[in-house]
Amino acid sequence: QVQLVESGGGLVQAGASLRLSCAASGLTIRTTAMGWFRQAPGKEREFVASVNWWGTGVTNYADSVKGRFTISRDNAKNTVYLQMNDLKPEDTALYYCTASTRPTTSTRATTVPGWYDYWGQGTQVTVSS
């Protein structure tokens, strides 16, 4: 069975940093595209960041987090991270880790929730003003 387990969320004040972790089991992330999405109450699930497994690992970010968030992977630990800096109240959401085993040459495909095969349970990030 494939499992994705997120951790690292919490309550912080605006301007602070957090690093989310996603520990994967049942699959090897070295050959898997990984992504982070978030969902705030009353809103649809929103793309945050992704990293492809092919080539050098092309990353993609939502405009709202560019320059603040960084996605990375540690293949040896089979873990994906989301470093979040300069957090803002609008970043408050439940953050989900996701994985796709389907190959693609399009970075835009990684922004579509339906492209992914597996999802974690989410970790809550709350940013106070």
Side-chain angles (χ1 to χ4, degrees):
Q1 292 183 326
V2 174
Q3 288 191 341
L4 303 175
V5 181
E6 303 98 331
S7 62
L11 173 63
V12 298
Q13 65 184 48
S17 297
L18 283 174
R19 189 178 75 160
L20 306 184
S21 298
C22 174
S25 61
L27 61 79
T28 301
I29 68 166
R30 185 179 61 83
T31 56
T32 305
M34 306 296 297
W36 288 94
F37 286 73
R38 65 188 182 187
Q39 188 166 22
K43 295 187 178 295
E44 295 183 346
R45 193 161 297 189
E46 176 189 29
F47 169 76
V48 176
S50 67
V51 58
N52 297 329
W53 59 264
W54 52 89
T56 57
V58 177
T59 57
N60 192 27
Y61 298 93
D63 289 341
S64 59
V65 306
K66 285 181 179 178
R68 299 189 297 121
F69 290 11
T70 303
I71 187 171
S72 62
R73 63 202 303 157
D74 187 333
N75 292 332
K77 295 183 179 296
N78 216 37
T79 299
V80 177
Y81 304 96
L82 184 68
Q83 178 66 45
M84 305 184 295
N85 297 326
D86 192 26
L87 283 162
K88 305 177 184 298
E90 51 264 42
D91 295 319
T92 296
L94 189 64
Y95 282 71
Y96 295 93
C97 176
T98 187
S100 177
T101 59
R102 288 175 282 182
T104 182
T105 58
S106 174
T107 57
R108 289 188 177 183
T110 67
T111 71
V112 180
W115 188 256
Y116 294 87
D117 302 301
Y118 308 103
W119 295 84
Q121 81 290 341
T123 185
Q124 180 67 40
V125 173
T126 302
V127 184
S128 63
S129 60

